[in-house]
Amino acid sequence: LRAVPPDVHSPTENYLLWMWNNRLYVYSAAALLLGFCFLLQVTRRKVSPALDSGLKVQKAAKNSSDEDADVHVSGVKIFYGSQTGTAKGFASELSQEVQALGIPAEVIDMKDFDPDDRLADECVSKSVCVFLVATYTDGRPTQNAEWFCKWLEEASTDFRYGNSFLKGLRYAVFGLGNSVYVGHYNTVGTNVDKWLWMLSARRVLSRGEGDGNVVKSRHGSVQADFRAWKVRFLSRLRALARGEKKSCSGNCKSGASCKNRKKHGAPEEEEHGSEVTENTREVELIESSSEEEESGWPDEKTSRSVVDVEDLGNIMNSVKKAKGVKGEQGGQMVKLSKHNGVMKTEDEEERREMITPALREALTKQGYKLIGSHSGVKLCRWTKSMLRGRGGCYKHTFYGIESHRCMETTPSLACANKCVFCWRHHTNPVGTEWRWKMDPAEKILQDSLEKHQNMIRQFRGVPGVKPERYEEGLAAKHCALSLVGEPIMYPEINTFLRLLHSHRISSFLVTNAQFPEEIRNLVPVTQLYVSVDASTKDSLKKIDRPLFKDFWPRFLDCLRALGEKKQRTVYRLTLVKAWNVEELQAYAELIALGQPDFIEVKGVTYCGESSASSLTMANVPWHQEVVAFVQQLADMLPHYQIACEHEHSNCLLIAHRKFKVNGEWRTWIDYDRFQDLVQAHEDSGGQQTFSALDYTAKTPSWALFGSNEQGFDPADTRFQRRNKTKDISGC
């Protein structure tokens, strides 16, 4: 065998042998590699935070741009509850203003909206809901808002909904009411605000209140109140649309700068560019409370806030400075003027005018000629009719007035009732006392005669107008104080009546039986009327809708006061079918209470559809129905008998039997004799009195009940209107 040489090895063995011989270099290379890797890893760790920070900045910037693009207010939904159309008009006005800001707006009638199915959707829709709600009779909602308010009230206390049912809903409420209704002024607006808050909806603006009582309205009228609230709402809406949170409340500590001014945006005063002095700002902080305080229902955060006892003295001092103190100046409240800071008593403050610009526009459209700040005159349709020889009104038939010489006017457009059959559709103001500016009686009469004469002059040369009656009509001989409102409310009514009589103008004054003392203090009137629209407390409340809480005692006292009068007195009954025609015995008892000389019974006149009244043509009785009612009533009155009839006016006259002398009715008036008697009464200082029987005149046969003429004067020509719109004006 041949031996193998020792230096001959396999490739693997040679590689391993080389590694072993050069192991020092291999270890050094490995250590160097590990060190390099470690260094790289450390370097990467130092760079990563900077990269992450950069990414976060980019992400934040992106989120910020996305947020700027978010829509904070998707739209405004305006719900209205209206009876006379005022709230509906406000809703339309607000809608236009909102759309002018570039924000969608929708006006919704509450009767067409189902809150059970749809209201919760507004919690996530990013919309703002505005509720314009009016308060109707007895503090109830209007007819179109009844179901909405009923559902809201029940949901606010229903555990099945829960107190967070409307969480996320943003809302604002403006209520329409009249402060003369003391017991329930703006109750619907207050309740809607409360119920929404109870369901966790979020108020974006304090509740606004519009007052139809121009005396106590903060801005002079319900329209002005709404406009002031609307400005605040639109300013708040702009802030919400920009994504701003609730603006600074202005309650920063004295002497400190508001740190939240930039964060929350400038106050509304600065947004509108107005400069507010320290004095006026202090007054505003007191009179215009915060959103939660003004609404009466605090938010969750403010309900937990407290006032430090040490600050209570400063707060009370501010209140005294802003509100004024009650001094000893005749027990009157001394107030601080917001305009110049001058102290003055309430009686010295300038009273507001009864006729607001909106009221002036509405009455002017209806044909009124307005006089001064609270009076008016209008041409009666019977005046126009008699100028043409087409017959006179029922006063011509019953009492012998010359309708073409009769001036229909009132020294007070205000009234204490809101009767369902009011032919003026409640455009006139309401009130329970005189709190307005007052014009002198001389000016009222002078302007009334002048404006009435100007209206008569417009008939000169008109086809059909009789020249002799036109000339007579230029000189008014009678005055019907029954145009609208409550003339007896005018503080100088006695002066006005004396002026009428000094011009030898007869006076026919109508009162709604709510002012008994004024009736007792009234000077002699040619004929004094009291409206007896119902014979029971419930029906009177339903028909007349009086403002006084004690309306029924006042009503009865007025009838007693009427019975104390010596001159001619009249009960004026207006029959409303299905409402007050079944109360014969009650009417008989009221007649026995006041013992009037005459009782006029007239079917109600339908003056067209009115959102303020549910009266329809179905409530107008036929003339035969009025006759039947009068016959039954007369049978229950031993001292009365049916005397006259005016079929054209759907009216009959029941007279006391003392006016039937020797078998002849004497319901007409000797107007010259009355003027002589009232002049003698005035000259004697009231010592020389006279009675209703002292100035009577014989009633013509054509005016008597049962005559063939049915009360139409045969000296005139009956005119039948065909295809003409019915003229409903007149007394």
Side-chain angles (χ1 to χ4, degrees):
L1 296 172
R2 192 174 56 178
V4 178
D7 55 344
V8 177
H9 300 286
S10 65
T12 303
E13 291 176 345
N14 289 333
Y15 177 75
L16 293 175
L17 183 62
W18 181 86
M19 289 285 292
W20 174 256
N21 293 332
N22 298 283
R23 59 184 182 275
L24 179 61
Y25 300 105
V26 173
Y27 293 159
S28 299
L32 184 61
L33 182 62
L34 291 174
F36 178 77
C37 291
F38 177 76
L39 181 61
L40 184 62
Q41 191 172 15
V42 170
T43 304
R44 181 178 296 177
R45 288 179 180 177
K46 290 182 178 181
V47 174
S48 294
L51 294 175
D52 293 342
S53 177
L55 291 174
K56 288 181 179 179
V57 170
Q58 294 178 0
K59 184 177 181 180
K62 182 179 180 181
N63 290 340
S64 177
S65 63
D66 291 343
E67 185 176 349
D68 292 339
D70 282 347
V71 176
H72 299 283
V73 177
S74 62
V76 176
K77 294 189 176 180
I78 307 169
F79 300 83
Y80 69 86
S82 180
Q83 192 70 27
T84 62
T86 304
K88 182 179 180 181
F90 287 169
S92 177
E93 180 181 337
L94 182 60
S95 174
Q96 295 176 7
E97 297 275 2
V98 171
Q99 292 179 27
L101 298 177
I103 300 175
E106 180 183 1
V107 176
I108 301 174
D109 189 338
M110 284 184 168
K111 71 178 180 181
D112 300 327
F113 186 85
D114 188 351
D116 197 17
D117 293 339
R118 301 171 56 188
L119 191 58
D121 296 339
E122 307 304 327
C123 298
V124 294
S125 65
K126 293 186 178 181
S127 62
V128 176
C129 296
V130 179
F131 299 91
L132 308 178
V133 287
T135 299
Y136 196 44
T137 307
D138 293 335
R140 295 183 288 106
T142 56
Q143 294 179 359
N144 71 318
E146 283 182 351
W147 164 243
F148 188 97
C149 292
K150 179 179 177 61
W151 177 89
L152 202 58
E153 179 183 13
E154 293 177 349
S156 65
T157 56
D158 193 336
F159 71 93
R160 292 171 296 180
Y161 288 97
N163 57 8
S164 61
F165 181 69
L166 295 181
K167 187 174 183 180
L169 173 67
R170 297 179 293 180
Y171 76 94
V173 175
F174 181 84
L176 293 81
N178 196 310
S179 58
V180 295
Y181 293 96
V182 179
H184 29 256
Y185 167 58
N186 252 317
T187 54
V188 176
T190 303
N191 287 335
V192 169
D193 187 25
K194 176 182 68 174
W195 295 329
L196 289 169
W197 175 82
M198 291 174 65
L199 291 169
S200 296
R202 183 166 68 88
R203 185 187 302 110
V204 300
L205 186 69
S206 58
R207 184 182 71 252
E209 291 186 347
D211 193 349
N213 182 5
V214 297
V215 175
K216 294 186 177 180
S217 170
R218 188 169 184 180
H219 301 90
S221 67
V222 65
Q223 290 83 4
D225 291 337
F226 174 72
R227 285 194 295 268
W229 180 86
K230 181 182 66 175
V231 170
R232 294 173 51 216
F233 173 76
L234 294 175
S235 176
R236 183 77 180 112
L237 185 63
R238 286 193 293 268
L240 290 172
R242 291 193 297 265
E244 296 179 8
K245 304 298 182 182
K246 184 177 179 180
S247 59
C248 177
S249 62
N251 294 328
C252 304
K253 293 184 178 180
S254 178
S257 61
C258 183
K259 297 180 180 180
N260 295 328
R261 183 179 299 272
K262 294 182 179 180
K263 180 178 179 180
H264 296 301
E268 291 183 13
E269 291 86 354
E270 293 187 10
E271 288 186 11
H272 293 287
S274 62
E275 296 179 359
V276 184
T277 63
E278 291 299 324
N279 290 336
T280 55
R281 184 184 297 276
E282 184 178 4
V283 174
E284 285 296 333
L285 287 176
I286 299 299
E287 294 195 357
S288 299
S289 58
S290 65
E291 293 178 337
E292 293 73 30
E293 291 171 341
E294 190 173 335
S295 65
W297 299 100
D299 285 338
E300 184 179 357
K301 294 181 180 179
T302 57
S303 63
R304 299 195 185 103
S305 62
V306 295
V307 177
D308 196 306
V309 176
E310 295 179 358
D311 296 331
L312 193 58
N314 296 330
I315 294 176
M316 293 307 298
N317 289 334
S318 299
V319 173
K320 289 181 180 179
K321 289 179 182 179
K323 287 294 187 182
V325 294
K326 191 171 184 177
E328 298 298 330
Q329 305 179 14
Q332 295 172 330
M333 181 66 74
V334 179
K335 296 183 178 180
L336 177 63
S337 172
K338 293 170 64 175
H339 300 290
N340 51 24
V342 177
M343 305 294 287
K344 59 182 179 180
T345 60
E346 186 177 5
D347 286 347
E348 293 172 346
E349 291 185 292
E350 186 179 2
R351 293 190 173 190
R352 291 171 176 167
E353 294 187 356
M354 180 187 294
I355 304 177
T356 63
L359 178 60
R360 183 177 297 276
E361 181 181 359
L363 293 175
T364 302
K365 286 182 178 179
Q366 295 180 32
Y368 288 86
K369 303 299 180 183
L370 300 179
I371 301 166
S373 63
H374 54 75
S375 308
V377 64
K378 189 178 183 183
L379 205 62
C380 175
R381 78 177 180 97
W382 290 109
T383 301
K384 305 172 189 176
S385 176
M386 202 161 189
L387 284 171
R388 292 184 171 98
R390 296 178 179 178
C393 72
Y394 69 90
K395 290 190 185 74
H396 172 62
T397 300
F398 296 170
Y399 315 118
I401 76 161
E402 298 170 274
S403 298
H404 63 293
R405 303 187 68 182
C406 182
M407 175 179 67
E408 192 176 23
T409 186
T410 180
S412 171
L413 291 164
C415 188
N417 289 346
K418 301 187 74 174
C419 304
V420 295
F421 50 75
C422 178
W423 56 39
R424 309 308 178 197
H425 295 314
H426 310 288
T427 50
N428 58 305
V430 292
T432 57
E433 60 179 341
W434 191 274
R435 296 291 301 276
W436 301 277
K437 286 183 178 180
M438 188 172 67
D439 301 325
E442 294 83 359
K443 176 177 174 53
I444 296 175
L445 180 57
Q446 179 182 352
D447 288 357
S448 296
L449 291 172
E450 181 181 344
K451 290 181 181 295
H452 175 77
Q453 195 175 63
N454 289 337
M455 288 186 287
I456 295 293
R457 284 198 176 99
Q458 294 175 5
F459 286 85
R460 182 171 185 172
V462 173
V465 172
K466 295 188 174 183
E468 65 277 11
R469 289 191 177 179
Y470 169 79
E471 294 297 331
E472 291 173 344
L474 291 175
K477 185 179 179 180
H478 314 285
C479 180
L481 293 166
S482 60
L483 177 62
V484 70
E486 179 62 84
I488 207 170
M489 284 181 66
Y490 176 51
E492 292 189 13
I493 184 63
N494 283 335
T495 304
F496 187 80
L497 290 169
R498 289 190 178 102
L499 287 171
L500 282 174
H501 299 155
S502 68
H503 287 75
R504 300 188 71 83
I505 298 175
S506 65
S507 53
F508 291 78
L509 190 148
V510 181
T511 176
N512 288 316
Q514 289 296 298
F515 298 92
E517 290 306 315
E518 284 75 1
I519 291 178
R520 290 189 171 93
N521 296 330
L522 206 62
V523 298
V525 180
T526 308
Q527 191 155 283
L528 178 60
Y529 288 77
V530 166
S531 293
V532 182
D533 300 324
S535 59
T536 65
K537 181 178 180 180
D538 292 339
S539 58
L540 187 69
K541 182 178 181 180
K542 180 180 179 182
I543 294 174
D544 278 5
R545 298 192 294 171
L547 273 62
F548 285 105
K549 284 187 175 181
D550 58 339
F551 67 92
W552 186 247
R554 283 177 169 272
F555 176 75
L556 297 179
D557 199 18
C558 283
L559 301 186
R560 298 188 191 98
L562 195 76
E564 300 168 7
K565 292 294 179 180
K566 295 183 178 181
Q567 289 75 45
R568 294 166 65 107
T569 57
V570 183
Y571 274 15
R572 188 175 186 176
L573 276 61
T574 302
L575 297 186
V576 185
K577 195 173 179 180
W579 285 27
N580 64 355
V581 296
E582 308 294 336
E583 305 167 351
L584 285 166
Q585 183 58 42
Y587 276 120
E589 294 173 359
L590 293 180
I591 292 169
L593 181 64
Q595 291 293 316
D597 294 324
F598 304 98
I599 306 161
E600 291 179 4
V601 185
K602 183 179 185 296
V604 67
T605 301
Y606 180 64
C607 301
E609 182 179 355
S610 169
S611 55
S613 171
S614 57
L615 192 73
T616 67
M617 276 299 296
N619 299 116
V620 180
W622 296 97
H623 184 63
Q624 293 81 356
E625 294 174 311
V626 176
V627 171
F629 177 91
V630 170
Q631 289 174 333
Q632 295 178 60
L633 181 60
D635 291 341
M636 302 173 68
L637 305 174
H639 302 296
Y640 294 86
Q641 186 178 343
I642 303 176
C644 302
E645 174 185 21
H646 191 249
E647 185 266 344
H648 198 170
S649 295
N650 198 11
C651 186
L652 283 87
L653 179 69
I654 301 175
H656 198 283
R657 291 182 185 272
K658 65 183 179 182
F659 290 94
K660 196 171 188 179
V661 181
N662 298 326
E664 293 182 340
W665 282 110
R666 299 185 64 84
T667 65
W668 276 37
I669 298 173
D670 186 338
Y671 293 100
D672 291 333
R673 175 64 177 159
F674 169 79
Q675 298 297 348
D676 294 338
L677 290 170
V678 77
Q679 185 62 49
H681 174 80
E682 291 295 331
D683 293 342
S684 65
Q687 297 298 317
Q688 183 174 337
T689 61
F690 61 100
S691 69
L693 292 175
D694 292 332
Y695 54 101
T696 62
K698 181 182 176 181
T699 308
S701 59
W702 57 264
L704 299 177
F705 176 68
S707 66
N708 293 330
E709 293 84 357
Q710 290 187 296
F712 188 85
D713 191 344
D716 288 338
T717 303
R718 189 70 178 265
F719 178 77
Q720 297 290 350
R721 227 176 249 277
R722 294 181 181 179
N723 300 325
K724 297 284 186 179
T725 302
K726 186 178 180 181
D727 188 347
I728 59 172
S729 63
C731 58

